[in-house]
Amino acid sequence: MEADGKGTRRARLWWLLVPGILLALTATLLPASTDAPRTSLRIGGDANYPPYHFLDSRGEADGFDVELSREIAADLGLEPVFELGDWGTTLERLEHGELDVVPMFWSAVREQRYGLTEPFLIRHHALFGHYETPTVSSLDALTNARVAVQSAGLAWEAMRELDRPGVILIETDNESETLGMAARGEVHYALAPTGIGYHTIQHDDLPGVVALSPPLLERKYVFAVRPGDPELVAAINASLARLRRSGVQNRLYVEWIGNPGAQGGPPPARRNIAIPALFALGAMAVAGLALLAWRRRRVPATHVAAPSQATTATADTRTFDAALAHPRLLAELSEAIASHQLAYALQPKIDLRSGRLLGAELLVRWDHPRLGPMAPDEFVPIAEQARTIGEMTLYLVRHGLAHCRGWPATGDRLHVSINVSANDLADPRLVDAIIDACEGDSPGLMLEITETEVMREPERVAEALPRLRSHGIGISVDDFGAGHSSLVNLRRLAPDELKIDRSFVHALLASHSDRAIVRATIHLGHELGASVAAEGIEDEATRTWLTQAGCDAGQGFWIGRPMPPAEFMELLRAQG
């Protein structure tokens, strides 16, 4: 009886425990309820990836991505939790759902593996090495070289896909170490993001290490979200849009990326010389450019006729008359835009190292029904003064991109450059319209910002730049030195390209001061993470000097005069 009684009590106890056991098993085997409110945002990254994300001297997360993530978390009402470490481990943790978001480059493989947000930056890589190492026009041109890359990074993915014979891949734990190996002569090249490269050269004091290629591997920079969480992707996209509109994202960009002195946090004492030296170099370049521009403006200006004009005998008089007829000419210009009467020419732009076409600058042309063919400097300043230049800009963007969509594929990343007044970028409606015009399959668009006037609303211009960049639109500072160029404006614009004005190029072989200023400008542009282009190249000797000085791109009459769009298309077909 006692045994039977104990068995009965055991059975009753067992049935009392079953529901709890089943509940525990269910909680273990099934995912947590998605109804539970999210309270924190777990953010991963590389512990050594300045100035984007890194651990500072106190072991705390810092950098552009970190601050942007902190703003996103605050915007979403979440507590940011940063967990930076080894990059390979970070990717594994994100894939397993142990992290919520990680900033990274877009790639097709990553798009299949994670949820990706809309891009918030466009970034590039470059091959870095000692200045005596041969330059390389593209990754395909690499032969018999040792190339350092970060393991599991975008450069690592690209080089593995390339699989060039004779090219040996050397993997490191972080991007900065790839530059260190190049500095020590352990590899020929380091393939690293340009921002990381220039930051490391400056902050790690790597003399003799320079960029040996044009910008490569243009990629969108995004937040990768753990798999199976589309709601978080949508929430971060909405937050990024709000931060762009409020100017917060651009403020952080200027603070961390557009301002070399702020990158990587407070610099150690041994680096105190490098940062002032950079600003002294920039100040010398800008001051020299301003001085020469002032001196040249004191010389009486002469009108330069458009190539289609038969004579310049009455050009100065006609320009004067056009200025007097300002309201009438402005009305006629608006009518020409509305009726699609404005035309344009394309001036070729090449990579100075390889000689291959990079694209072209679009130059407006107006065959006036009453005054005949007019050069841009006869009517563009009038439109600028009347603040209707945005109407013309949008017209050219739309027509130029429509034509460029028919460019033949050459295997190169082509772009069309179109001039835009800096002040017009303060108009959010114009910015929206330019972005809309770039939707779909089209070549890259580079907006060449002219500084013919003092920037009236620099804060609103600054707000527009990240929005444009997030849609793949590059920013170039045109005619650098001929307008209101300054270090303040360079920091605000954080350009992708710095374009040296022709007045400092055409006589540089005979002018020591011009050569010194052009060298300083090239170095300044590269330190700011921008490519550098030169206008006004009119002979082979000038091109050779600029190439040896490290200038990336160029245009001018020796390379090609402005030509009809159909003629430029033939050049592209010949390049193949």
Side-chain angles (χ1 to χ4, degrees):
M1 293 293 296
E2 289 183 2
D4 291 341
K6 290 180 180 178
T8 302
R9 286 195 296 272
R10 288 193 194 100
R12 288 175 180 170
L13 182 60
W14 167 252
W15 285 111
L16 287 172
L17 293 175
V18 163
I21 295 172
L22 291 176
L23 185 61
L25 287 172
T26 302
T28 303
L29 298 175
L30 295 181
S33 172
T34 56
D35 296 332
R38 189 192 306 270
T39 60
S40 64
L41 190 66
R42 297 170 300 170
I43 303 150
D46 193 327
N48 189 9
Y49 196 69
Y52 295 95
H53 42 265
F54 61 95
L55 294 178
D56 63 15
S57 58
R58 296 169 296 177
E60 297 178 358
D62 208 355
F64 170 76
D65 294 337
V66 169
E67 292 303 314
L68 182 59
S69 300
R70 203 185 302 276
E71 293 287 349
I72 290 171
D75 180 69
L76 298 177
L78 302 175
E79 180 68 25
V81 178
F82 295 98
E83 302 179 24
L84 308 188
D86 172 74
W87 180 244
T89 304
T90 295
L91 295 182
E92 291 177 3
R93 295 188 65 207
L94 178 65
E95 193 163 5
H96 294 155
E98 298 172 13
L99 295 170
D100 293 320
V101 295
V102 175
M104 65 177 67
F105 286 102
W106 173 93
S107 75
V109 171
R110 292 171 179 177
E111 190 168 43
Q112 295 175 356
R113 189 172 296 168
Y114 317 111
L116 301 183
T117 67
E118 293 295 321
F120 57 93
L121 286 179
I122 300 294
R123 293 178 57 198
H124 302 80
H125 283 60
L127 288 164
F128 293 86
H130 193 269
Y131 69 88
E132 293 183 347
T133 306
T135 58
V136 180
S137 60
S138 68
L139 293 181
D140 290 326
L142 282 170
T143 56
N144 300 322
R146 293 166 59 87
V147 181
V149 296
Q150 182 193 33
S151 179
L154 180 63
W156 175 81
E157 290 181 9
M159 291 301 298
R160 283 168 62 90
E161 291 176 5
L162 189 67
D163 193 25
R164 292 281 295 170
V167 175
I168 301 173
L169 209 58
I170 309 298
E171 299 181 21
T172 68
D173 291 335
N174 59 72
E175 304 277 11
S176 299
E177 178 57 21
T178 64
L179 277 293
M181 294 185 72
R184 295 189 296 270
E186 298 169 7
V187 295
H188 297 96
Y189 304 98
L191 182 58
T194 52
I196 303 296
Y198 295 124
H199 176 277
T200 303
I201 290 170
Q202 176 184 329
H203 284 265
D204 289 2
D205 191 18
L206 303 179
V209 177
V210 297
L212 296 170
S213 76
L216 306 170
L217 301 179
E218 180 176 289
R219 289 292 190 278
K220 301 170 183 176
Y221 198 57
V222 301
F223 281 108
V225 175
R226 64 182 186 181
D229 199 344
E231 293 82 4
L232 183 56
V233 174
I236 293 176
N237 280 334
S239 180
L240 284 169
R242 288 189 289 270
L243 294 175
R244 280 194 296 269
R245 287 194 297 268
S246 67
V248 170
Q249 180 176 325
N250 191 72
R251 174 179 58 78
L252 293 176
Y253 181 90
V254 170
E255 178 183 341
W256 282 99
I257 303 170
N259 180 1
Q263 294 175 3
R270 69 179 182 86
R271 298 174 188 156
N272 286 346
I273 296 175
I275 295 172
L278 172 63
F279 281 94
L281 177 66
M284 180 188 75
V286 174
L289 289 166
L291 175 61
L292 288 186
W294 174 79
R295 287 168 58 190
R296 286 164 183 170
R297 280 198 296 270
R298 295 187 65 198
V299 179
T302 57
H303 173 80
V304 180
S308 58
Q309 290 179 256
T311 176
T312 62
T314 61
D316 290 324
T317 303
R318 193 177 72 180
T319 304
F320 179 75
D321 291 341
L324 290 178
H326 188 222
R328 179 180 179 183
L329 191 65
L330 185 58
E332 291 170 335
L333 179 58
S334 295
E335 174 60 26
I337 294 172
S339 58
H340 302 275
Q341 293 175 12
L342 286 185
Y344 56 86
L346 294 171
Q347 185 169 24
K349 181 178 177 182
I350 66 168
D351 179 280
L352 290 180
R353 299 178 183 90
S354 66
R356 292 184 67 81
L357 287 165
L358 296 173
E361 179 180 359
L362 186 147
L363 304 167
V364 64
R365 296 288 184 260
W366 187 15
D367 190 356
H368 194 282
R370 184 166 48 85
L371 301 174
M374 297 184 68
D377 59 3
E378 293 180 292
F379 59 91
V380 170
I382 296 174
E384 287 179 335
Q385 292 166 15
R387 301 192 182 183
T388 59
I389 192 68
E391 183 183 6
M392 183 192 304
T393 298
L394 185 57
Y395 173 95
L396 295 173
V397 167
R398 287 171 173 166
H399 284 70
L401 286 177
H403 163 73
C404 296
R405 289 187 176 101
W407 282 357
T410 64
D412 299 288
R413 174 66 174 167
L414 301 174
H415 67 262
V416 60
S417 298
I418 298 177
N419 288 287
V420 58
S421 169
N423 289 315
D424 282 313
L425 294 184
D427 182 354
R429 293 170 300 177
L430 176 62
V431 173
D432 288 340
I434 291 174
I435 290 171
D436 290 342
C438 292
E439 294 299 324
D441 186 20
S442 66
L445 174 63
M446 179 80 77
L447 295 180
E448 296 194 0
I449 296 180
T450 56
E451 297 180 288
T452 51
E453 302 178 59
V454 175
M455 213 181 293
R456 292 189 295 266
E457 299 178 272
E459 293 80 11
R460 298 188 70 177
V461 174
E463 291 173 10
L465 299 180
R467 295 183 54 218
L468 292 164
R469 286 194 173 95
S470 70
H471 288 81
I473 300 171
I475 302 297
S476 172
V477 171
D478 192 23
D479 299 334
F480 184 66
H484 296 275
S485 302
S486 70
L487 289 178
V488 173
N489 279 351
L490 280 185
R491 187 172 65 184
R492 284 179 181 142
L493 298 173
D496 304 287
E497 178 186 75
L498 199 60
K499 205 167 185 184
I500 304 172
D501 184 66
R502 68 185 70 250
S503 61
F504 306 103
V505 174
H506 82 276
L508 64 79
L509 296 180
S511 169
H512 174 76
S513 59
D514 279 5
R515 290 196 300 275
I517 290 170
V518 169
R519 280 196 192 96
T521 304
I522 292 170
H523 187 66
L524 173 65
H526 287 167
E527 287 288 346
L528 293 175
S531 63
V532 180
E535 298 179 304
I537 301 175
E538 298 184 0
D539 54 66
E540 172 64 27
T542 301
R543 177 201 167 170
T544 299
W545 187 93
L546 287 165
T547 304
Q548 293 174 345
C551 191
D552 304 295
Q555 65 187 73
F557 284 178
W558 182 83
I559 294 168
R561 291 176 177 268
M563 60 186 65
E567 189 175 329
F568 181 74
M569 186 138 0
E570 289 303 316
L571 283 183
L572 290 175
R573 290 195 180 99
Q575 177 164 290

mmCIF file with all atom_site columns, all heavy atoms in Angstrom, residues 274-290:
data_model
loop_
_atom_site.group_PDB
_atom_site.id
_atom_site.type_symbol
_atom_site.label_atom_id
_atom_site.label_alt_id
_atom_site.label_comp_id
_atom_site.label_asym_id
_atom_site.label_entity_id
_atom_site.label_seq_id
_atom_site.pdbx_PDB_ins_code
_atom_site.Cartn_x
_atom_site.Cartn_y
_atom_site.Cartn_z
_atom_site.occupancy
_atom_site.B_iso_or_equiv
_atom_site.pdbx_formal_charge
_atom_site.auth_seq_id
_atom_site.auth_comp_id
_atom_site.auth_asym_id
_atom_site.auth_atom_id
_atom_site.pdbx_PDB_model_num
ATOM 1   N N   . ALA A 1 274 ? 51.486 67.554 -37.128 1.00 0.00 ? 274 ALA A N   1
ATOM 2   C CA  . ALA A 1 274 ? 50.871 67.196 -38.410 1.00 0.00 ? 274 ALA A CA  1
ATOM 3   C C   . ALA A 1 274 ? 49.628 68.005 -38.704 1.00 0.00 ? 274 ALA A C   1
ATOM 4   O O   . ALA A 1 274 ? 49.408 68.446 -39.823 1.00 0.00 ? 274 ALA A O   1
ATOM 5   C CB  . ALA A 1 274 ? 50.534 65.704 -38.410 1.00 0.00 ? 274 ALA A CB  1
ATOM 6   N N   . ILE A 1 275 ? 48.782 68.216 -37.698 1.00 0.00 ? 275 ILE A N   1
ATOM 7   C CA  . ILE A 1 275 ? 47.511 68.887 -37.946 1.00 0.00 ? 275 ILE A CA  1
ATOM 8   C C   . ILE A 1 275 ? 47.709 70.365 -38.261 1.00 0.00 ? 275 ILE A C   1
ATOM 9   O O   . ILE A 1 275 ? 47.205 70.852 -39.259 1.00 0.00 ? 275 ILE A O   1
ATOM 10  C CB  . ILE A 1 275 ? 46.559 68.676 -36.766 1.00 0.00 ? 275 ILE A CB  1
ATOM 11  C CG1 . ILE A 1 275 ? 46.215 67.184 -36.676 1.00 0.00 ? 275 ILE A CG1 1
ATOM 12  C CG2 . ILE A 1 275 ? 45.296 69.494 -36.909 1.00 0.00 ? 275 ILE A CG2 1
ATOM 13  C CD1 . ILE A 1 275 ? 45.448 66.822 -35.443 1.00 0.00 ? 275 ILE A CD1 1
ATOM 14  N N   . PRO A 1 276 ? 48.455 71.136 -37.452 1.00 0.00 ? 276 PRO A N   1
ATOM 15  C CA  . PRO A 1 276 ? 48.700 72.522 -37.848 1.00 0.00 ? 276 PRO A CA  1
ATOM 16  C C   . PRO A 1 276 ? 49.394 72.611 -39.198 1.00 0.00 ? 276 PRO A C   1
ATOM 17  O O   . PRO A 1 276 ? 49.152 73.548 -39.958 1.00 0.00 ? 276 PRO A O   1
ATOM 18  C CB  . PRO A 1 276 ? 49.581 73.069 -36.726 1.00 0.00 ? 276 PRO A CB  1
ATOM 19  C CG  . PRO A 1 276 ? 49.269 72.213 -35.548 1.00 0.00 ? 276 PRO A CG  1
ATOM 20  C CD  . PRO A 1 276 ? 49.010 70.855 -36.115 1.00 0.00 ? 276 PRO A CD  1
ATOM 21  N N   . ALA A 1 277 ? 50.261 71.646 -39.502 1.00 0.00 ? 277 ALA A N   1
ATOM 22  C CA  . ALA A 1 277 ? 50.947 71.683 -40.788 1.00 0.00 ? 277 ALA A CA  1
ATOM 23  C C   . ALA A 1 277 ? 49.955 71.573 -41.928 1.00 0.00 ? 277 ALA A C   1
ATOM 24  O O   . ALA A 1 277 ? 50.077 72.243 -42.954 1.00 0.00 ? 277 ALA A O   1
ATOM 25  C CB  . ALA A 1 277 ? 51.973 70.550 -40.869 1.00 0.00 ? 277 ALA A CB  1
ATOM 26  N N   . LEU A 1 278 ? 48.960 70.709 -41.759 1.00 0.00 ? 278 LEU A N   1
ATOM 27  C CA  . LEU A 1 278 ? 47.950 70.573 -42.811 1.00 0.00 ? 278 LEU A CA  1
ATOM 28  C C   . LEU A 1 278 ? 47.218 71.888 -43.005 1.00 0.00 ? 278 LEU A C   1
ATOM 29  O O   . LEU A 1 278 ? 47.012 72.344 -44.128 1.00 0.00 ? 278 LEU A O   1
ATOM 30  C CB  . LEU A 1 278 ? 46.966 69.482 -42.438 1.00 0.00 ? 278 LEU A CB  1
ATOM 31  C CG  . LEU A 1 278 ? 45.743 69.359 -43.372 1.00 0.00 ? 278 LEU A CG  1
ATOM 32  C CD1 . LEU A 1 278 ? 46.195 68.980 -44.772 1.00 0.00 ? 278 LEU A CD1 1
ATOM 33  C CD2 . LEU A 1 278 ? 44.762 68.352 -42.827 1.00 0.00 ? 278 LEU A CD2 1
ATOM 34  N N   . PHE A 1 279 ? 46.819 72.546 -41.892 1.00 0.00 ? 279 PHE A N   1
ATOM 35  C CA  . PHE A 1 279 ? 46.077 73.790 -42.024 1.00 0.00 ? 279 PHE A CA  1
ATOM 36  C C   . PHE A 1 279 ? 46.972 74.907 -42.541 1.00 0.00 ? 279 PHE A C   1
ATOM 37  O O   . PHE A 1 279 ? 46.521 75.779 -43.269 1.00 0.00 ? 279 PHE A O   1
ATOM 38  C CB  . PHE A 1 279 ? 45.436 74.167 -40.686 1.00 0.00 ? 279 PHE A CB  1
ATOM 39  C CG  . PHE A 1 279 ? 44.194 73.392 -40.421 1.00 0.00 ? 279 PHE A CG  1
ATOM 40  C CD1 . PHE A 1 279 ? 44.231 72.219 -39.686 1.00 0.00 ? 279 PHE A CD1 1
ATOM 41  C CD2 . PHE A 1 279 ? 42.993 73.795 -40.960 1.00 0.00 ? 279 PHE A CD2 1
ATOM 42  C CE1 . PHE A 1 279 ? 43.077 71.480 -39.474 1.00 0.00 ? 279 PHE A CE1 1
ATOM 43  C CE2 . PHE A 1 279 ? 41.830 73.063 -40.745 1.00 0.00 ? 279 PHE A CE2 1
ATOM 44  C CZ  . PHE A 1 279 ? 41.877 71.904 -40.001 1.00 0.00 ? 279 PHE A CZ  1
ATOM 45  N N   . ALA A 1 280 ? 48.260 74.879 -42.163 1.00 0.00 ? 280 ALA A N   1
ATOM 46  C CA  . ALA A 1 280 ? 49.179 75.869 -42.716 1.00 0.00 ? 280 ALA A CA  1
ATOM 47  C C   . ALA A 1 280 ? 49.319 75.684 -44.215 1.00 0.00 ? 280 ALA A C   1
ATOM 48  O O   . ALA A 1 280 ? 49.347 76.651 -44.981 1.00 0.00 ? 280 ALA A O   1
ATOM 49  C CB  . ALA A 1 280 ? 50.555 75.751 -42.037 1.00 0.00 ? 280 ALA A CB  1
ATOM 50  N N   . LEU A 1 281 ? 49.393 74.418 -44.640 1.00 0.00 ? 281 LEU A N   1
ATOM 51  C CA  . LEU A 1 281 ? 49.479 74.109 -46.068 1.00 0.00 ? 281 LEU A CA  1
ATOM 52  C C   . LEU A 1 281 ? 48.240 74.610 -46.781 1.00 0.00 ? 281 LEU A C   1
ATOM 53  O O   . LEU A 1 281 ? 48.304 75.239 -47.837 1.00 0.00 ? 281 LEU A O   1
ATOM 54  C CB  . LEU A 1 281 ? 49.621 72.606 -46.254 1.00 0.00 ? 281 LEU A CB  1
ATOM 55  C CG  . LEU A 1 281 ? 49.649 72.085 -47.703 1.00 0.00 ? 281 LEU A CG  1
ATOM 56  C CD1 . LEU A 1 281 ? 50.898 72.590 -48.393 1.00 0.00 ? 281 LEU A CD1 1
ATOM 57  C CD2 . LEU A 1 281 ? 49.612 70.572 -47.715 1.00 0.00 ? 281 LEU A CD2 1
ATOM 58  N N   . GLY A 1 282 ? 47.062 74.325 -46.184 1.00 0.00 ? 282 GLY A N   1
ATOM 59  C CA  . GLY A 1 282 ? 45.819 74.781 -46.801 1.00 0.00 ? 282 GLY A CA  1
ATOM 60  C C   . GLY A 1 282 ? 45.750 76.298 -46.846 1.00 0.00 ? 282 GLY A C   1
ATOM 61  O O   . GLY A 1 282 ? 45.333 76.879 -47.848 1.00 0.00 ? 282 GLY A O   1
ATOM 62  N N   . ALA A 1 283 ? 46.157 76.941 -45.755 1.00 0.00 ? 283 ALA A N   1
ATOM 63  C CA  . ALA A 1 283 ? 46.121 78.397 -45.731 1.00 0.00 ? 283 ALA A CA  1
ATOM 64  C C   . ALA A 1 283 ? 47.045 78.980 -46.785 1.00 0.00 ? 283 ALA A C   1
ATOM 65  O O   . ALA A 1 283 ? 46.717 79.968 -47.441 1.00 0.00 ? 283 ALA A O   1
ATOM 66  C CB  . ALA A 1 283 ? 46.525 78.902 -44.339 1.00 0.00 ? 283 ALA A CB  1
ATOM 67  N N   . MET A 1 284 ? 48.222 78.359 -46.966 1.00 0.00 ? 284 MET A N   1
ATOM 68  C CA  . MET A 1 284 ? 49.148 78.841 -47.979 1.00 0.00 ? 284 MET A CA  1
ATOM 69  C C   . MET A 1 284 ? 48.533 78.718 -49.366 1.00 0.00 ? 284 MET A C   1
ATOM 70  O O   . MET A 1 284 ? 48.606 79.642 -50.183 1.00 0.00 ? 284 MET A O   1
ATOM 71  C CB  . MET A 1 284 ? 50.453 78.040 -47.932 1.00 0.00 ? 284 MET A CB  1
ATOM 72  C CG  . MET A 1 284 ? 51.477 78.496 -48.964 1.00 0.00 ? 284 MET A CG  1
ATOM 73  S SD  . MET A 1 284 ? 52.902 77.400 -49.031 1.00 0.00 ? 284 MET A SD  1
ATOM 74  C CE  . MET A 1 284 ? 52.224 76.008 -49.907 1.00 0.00 ? 284 MET A CE  1
ATOM 75  N N   . ALA A 1 285 ? 47.909 77.563 -49.617 1.00 0.00 ? 285 ALA A N   1
ATOM 76  C CA  . ALA A 1 285 ? 47.303 77.358 -50.930 1.00 0.00 ? 285 ALA A CA  1
ATOM 77  C C   . ALA A 1 285 ? 46.194 78.364 -51.178 1.00 0.00 ? 285 ALA A C   1
ATOM 78  O O   . ALA A 1 285 ? 46.131 79.009 -52.223 1.00 0.00 ? 285 ALA A O   1
ATOM 79  C CB  . ALA A 1 285 ? 46.756 75.934 -51.039 1.00 0.00 ? 285 ALA A CB  1
ATOM 80  N N   . VAL A 1 286 ? 45.283 78.519 -50.202 1.00 0.00 ? 286 VAL A N   1
ATOM 81  C CA  . VAL A 1 286 ? 44.152 79.421 -50.399 1.00 0.00 ? 286 VAL A CA  1
ATOM 82  C C   . VAL A 1 286 ? 44.612 80.869 -50.487 1.00 0.00 ? 286 VAL A C   1
ATOM 83  O O   . VAL A 1 286 ? 44.152 81.629 -51.333 1.00 0.00 ? 286 VAL A O   1
ATOM 84  C CB  . VAL A 1 286 ? 43.128 79.243 -49.266 1.00 0.00 ? 286 VAL A CB  1
ATOM 85  C CG1 . VAL A 1 286 ? 42.024 80.276 -49.366 1.00 0.00 ? 286 VAL A CG1 1
ATOM 86  C CG2 . VAL A 1 286 ? 42.531 77.848 -49.336 1.00 0.00 ? 286 VAL A CG2 1
ATOM 87  N N   . ALA A 1 287 ? 45.552 81.254 -49.612 1.00 0.00 ? 287 ALA A N   1
ATOM 88  C CA  . ALA A 1 287 ? 46.032 82.633 -49.644 1.00 0.00 ? 287 ALA A CA  1
ATOM 89  C C   . ALA A 1 287 ? 46.744 82.925 -50.956 1.00 0.00 ? 287 ALA A C   1
ATOM 90  O O   . ALA A 1 287 ? 46.570 83.987 -51.561 1.00 0.00 ? 287 ALA A O   1
ATOM 91  C CB  . ALA A 1 287 ? 46.982 82.884 -48.469 1.00 0.00 ? 287 ALA A CB  1
ATOM 92  N N   . GLY A 1 288 ? 47.557 81.963 -51.415 1.00 0.00 ? 288 GLY A N   1
ATOM 93  C CA  . GLY A 1 288 ? 48.256 82.156 -52.679 1.00 0.00 ? 288 GLY A CA  1
ATOM 94  C C   . GLY A 1 288 ? 47.299 82.258 -53.846 1.00 0.00 ? 288 GLY A C   1
ATOM 95  O O   . GLY A 1 288 ? 47.443 83.104 -54.730 1.00 0.00 ? 288 GLY A O   1
ATOM 96  N N   . LEU A 1 289 ? 46.295 81.396 -53.851 1.00 0.00 ? 289 LEU A N   1
ATOM 97  C CA  . LEU A 1 289 ? 45.293 81.438 -54.914 1.00 0.00 ? 289 LEU A CA  1
ATOM 98  C C   . LEU A 1 289 ? 44.549 82.763 -54.902 1.00 0.00 ? 289 LEU A C   1
ATOM 99  O O   . LEU A 1 289 ? 44.316 83.379 -55.941 1.00 0.00 ? 289 LEU A O   1
ATOM 100 C CB  . LEU A 1 289 ? 44.299 80.289 -54.726 1.00 0.00 ? 289 LEU A CB  1
ATOM 101 C CG  . LEU A 1 289 ? 44.842 78.884 -55.017 1.00 0.00 ? 289 LEU A CG  1
ATOM 102 C CD1 . LEU A 1 289 ? 43.878 77.847 -54.451 1.00 0.00 ? 289 LEU A CD1 1
ATOM 103 C CD2 . LEU A 1 289 ? 45.035 78.669 -56.496 1.00 0.00 ? 289 LEU A CD2 1
ATOM 104 N N   . ALA A 1 290 ? 44.170 83.220 -53.713 1.00 0.00 ? 290 ALA A N   1
ATOM 105 C CA  . ALA A 1 290 ? 43.429 84.476 -53.620 1.00 0.00 ? 290 ALA A CA  1
ATOM 106 C C   . ALA A 1 290 ? 44.278 85.651 -54.090 1.00 0.00 ? 290 ALA A C   1
ATOM 107 O O   . ALA A 1 290 ? 43.795 86.551 -54.787 1.00 0.00 ? 290 ALA A O   1
ATOM 108 C CB  . ALA A 1 290 ? 42.972 84.694 -52.183 1.00 0.00 ? 290 ALA A CB  1
#
